[in-house]
Amino acid sequence: MDTKNILLAGVGGQGLVLATQIIADAANFDGIDVKTNDVVGLSQRGGKVWGSAKLGKKVYSPNINPGEGDLLIAFEKLEAKRFRHILKKQDSKVIINDYEMAPSKVQQEAEEYDENVIEKMQEFANEVIVVNATDGAAKLGNPQVANIIMLGVAARFITNISHDAWISAIEKNVPEKFIDLNIEAFDKALNDEL
């Protein structure tokens, strides 16, 4: 099995740490070696957060060097741009939540929000998948499942993890009363039904 390098990027409060843990647990359930890393920064104030997950036969470090990323999962559009340097020049994919959370410099009108992020990302990745996970989560009745929707889309490309392992990881990590909703969100995203 080839190593798969996955970077998750977003802002505080989007459930990125949970998403990274679910990837790790799903890989473990299928007997895949995995190492993860989370940098939460100013996560409780809407600051940037990122995590990495490396999956493979034998993985020694969760760190992903620039130019080695296979998959970038961006929970917010500008965060995709911020981490574009991590992507491989060949065979890389980016999944972008079509969601904007203006950073402090934009809020203070010191900078403008880059409205062309999605178009620019096509220069850095072989495939850019745009998902409106925030709206999809609202349609399902809980905005907090947007991260699970992003994982459902990502699971289309992390094909070495079985569906059963994904479901087991979700069941392990989300509160019991929200398990069914999270599984529904994951499966609808996986099957492109949102």
Side-chain angles (χ1 to χ4, degrees):
M1 172 187 164
D2 292 336
T3 300
K4 185 160 292 269
N5 298 316
I6 304 165
L7 190 94
L8 300 89
V11 293
Q14 291 188 296
L16 186 139
V17 173
L18 174 63
T20 304
Q21 185 62 52
I22 289 172
I23 292 172
D25 286 338
N28 279 324
F29 285 136
D30 270 351
I32 300 167
D33 192 21
V34 61
K35 302 288 184 285
T36 64
N37 192 11
D38 292 311
V39 175
V40 293
L42 299 173
S43 62
Q44 295 189 1
R45 297 185 206 157
K48 70 177 179 176
V49 294
W50 63 268
S52 64
K54 258 189 176 179
L55 293 70
K57 187 173 181 180
K58 185 63 183 161
V59 178
Y60 297 97
S61 167
N63 298 328
I64 302 170
N65 293 324
E68 292 183 354
D70 295 298
L71 178 62
L72 171 58
I73 305 169
F75 292 69
E76 196 277 339
K77 288 196 297 191
L78 277 184
E79 296 308 312
K81 181 180 173 185
R82 185 187 314 267
F83 287 97
R84 66 187 182 269
H85 68 282
I86 211 80
L87 293 167
K88 287 180 178 176
K89 294 192 187 293
Q90 308 245 336
D91 299 324
S92 61
K93 294 177 177 32
V94 179
I95 302 168
I96 301 175
N97 183 13
D98 194 8
Y99 173 75
E100 296 178 7
M101 180 178 277
S104 59
K105 287 188 178 184
V106 172
Q107 292 175 12
Q108 297 164 0
E109 299 179 359
E111 292 179 3
E112 290 187 21
Y113 192 97
D114 187 347
E115 298 294 335
N116 299 312
V117 170
I118 293 169
E119 293 79 13
K120 289 177 181 175
M121 288 305 298
Q122 293 172 349
E123 299 171 21
F124 294 93
N126 294 84
E127 188 173 357
V128 177
I129 301 99
V130 180
V131 179
N132 201 328
T134 305
D135 283 354
K139 287 177 189 171
L140 290 172
N142 188 332
Q144 292 183 329
V145 298
N147 61 339
I148 302 299
I149 289 172
M150 295 296 286
L151 283 183
V153 175
R156 298 178 202 166
F157 307 104
I158 310 172
T159 56
N160 49 342
I161 298 177
S162 69
H163 183 263
D164 287 346
W166 284 111
I167 299 305
S168 294
I170 291 168
E171 290 172 343
K172 176 183 175 188
N173 286 285
V174 301
E176 187 175 349
K177 66 181 179 177
F178 296 115
I179 288 174
D180 289 343
L181 174 63
N182 279 269
I183 291 172
E184 178 185 7
F186 179 86
D187 282 340
K188 283 185 177 292
L190 176 65
N191 298 310
D192 201 15
E193 295 174 351
L194 287 173

